[in-house]
Amino acid sequence: GENVEQHPSTLSVQEGDSAVIKCTYSDSASNYFPWYKQELGKGPQLIIDIRSNVGEKKDQRIAVTLNKTAKHFSLHITETQPEDSAVYFCAASKGRNSSASKIIFGSGTRLSIRP
Amino acid sequence: KAGVTQTPRYLIKTRGQQVTLSCSPISGHRSVSWYQQTPGQGLQFLFEYFSETQRNKGNFPGRFSGRQFSNSRSEMNVSTLELGDSALYLCASSFISTGELFFGEGSRLTVL
């Protein structure tokens, strides 16, 4: 079955610097890759997603890149701010319209922004 | 519009006891999924319900069970609790079974 590995498990960056979180997946049939942000005491929230027919997607300070050949995808946060401190999860599934059971999550990255 | 509501938010049980967790989805959402979150393990899928029917079940022992009511509210039950069941249990709802997931804040279970 699908397996998603996420690195690093913890990341600390200076406010204003960039942060990069990387994930790899095992099932080449996966074609939808969402990213979730979980703030302290809250549930995960979808922040951005990408489909396999797109190599990069941006939304303000957040961008995701996908390398289908290498089965890698990454989350890039530029000009980090204190409110970016949270746990980030990557995920993979075979289509945006997959049921919840088919969405495989990475183990999470705890991002801390140093003032 | 109210979000996904989970109760209780925190609870402490002892080994061998059982626990029931409740989830009220966003109004109009008919699909409810449950996840177990533990440090370093990410989100592990438990069950998925749609219109009172269990659609899928994750790789968890039979001590974990759930159900969904006609108003889409869902409960999950864990019997004969073990120390390893200590975790944050998250519920997510979606309009249809394949829609975007909206998560609740979770129920944090501690088993002593």
Side-chain angles (χ1 to χ4, degrees):
Chain A
E2 173 68 284
N3 183 49
V4 176
E5 294 191 359
Q6 183 172 348
H7 300 281
S9 57
T10 60
L11 179 61
S12 178
V13 301
Q14 192 75 33
E15 181 178 352
D17 288 349
S18 296
V20 180
I21 301 171
K22 298 181 179 181
C23 291
T24 60
Y25 60 99
S26 60
D27 191 342
S28 57
S30 293
N31 57 12
Y32 175 63
F33 307 93
W35 285 87
Y36 290 82
K37 175 184 181 182
Q38 185 177 24
E39 297 178 349
L40 191 63
K42 297 186 177 181
Q45 180 180 12
L46 178 69
I47 56 171
I48 195 168
D49 55 16
I50 190 169
R51 303 180 192 188
S52 62
N53 60 346
V54 175
E56 183 176 5
K57 183 177 179 180
K58 290 184 179 180
D59 183 3
Q60 299 182 345
R61 296 186 297 108
I62 294 175
V64 291
T65 58
L66 172 65
N67 182 329
K68 286 193 299 181
T69 303
K71 291 189 277 189
H72 289 171
F73 58 113
S74 300
L75 176 71
H76 303 252
I77 306 175
T78 59
E79 301 174 10
T80 53
Q81 300 172 4
E83 55 264 36
D84 295 329
S85 293
V87 178
Y88 292 81
F89 292 96
C90 62
S93 72
K94 298 174 187 176
R96 188 177 192 275
N97 293 325
S98 293
S99 70
S101 65
K102 306 301 183 186
I103 301 174
I104 308 301
F105 290 87
S107 56
T109 296
R110 183 175 297 279
L111 174 63
S112 300
I113 308 301
R114 303 191 303 272
Chain B
K1 193 174 188 180
V4 177
T5 303
Q6 292 189 243
T7 57
R9 291 290 314 279
Y10 303 91
L11 65 167
I12 300 173
K13 294 286 187 178
T14 57
R15 281 179 297 175
Q17 287 187 311
Q18 72 162 12
V19 66
T20 298
L21 309 178
S22 178
C23 172
S24 293
I26 291 172
S27 178
H29 284 193
R30 296 167 61 190
S31 179
V32 173
S33 304
W34 289 88
Y35 296 83
Q36 182 192 64
Q37 182 179 9
T38 53
Q41 294 297 314
L43 300 169
Q44 304 294 317
F45 172 77
L46 280 160
F47 332 94
E48 178 186 4
Y49 289 89
F50 183 77
S51 294
E52 302 179 66
T53 301
Q54 185 179 92
R55 299 284 290 268
N56 292 287
K57 188 177 192 300
N59 188 25
F60 280 82
R63 300 184 296 106
F64 291 79
S65 62
R67 58 179 175 170
Q68 186 180 32
F69 302 94
S70 58
N71 62 357
S72 293
R73 189 177 70 86
S74 177
E75 289 181 348
M76 67 164 283
N77 183 278
V78 187
S79 62
T80 319
L81 285 166
E82 301 177 358
L83 295 179
D85 297 333
S86 294
L88 179 68
Y89 290 88
L90 290 163
C91 167
S93 77
S94 58
F95 181 65
I96 57 174
S97 62
T98 58
E100 177 183 340
L101 299 176
F102 293 84
F103 285 88
E105 295 183 332
S107 293
R108 183 166 297 281
L109 170 65
T110 301
V111 182
L112 302 176

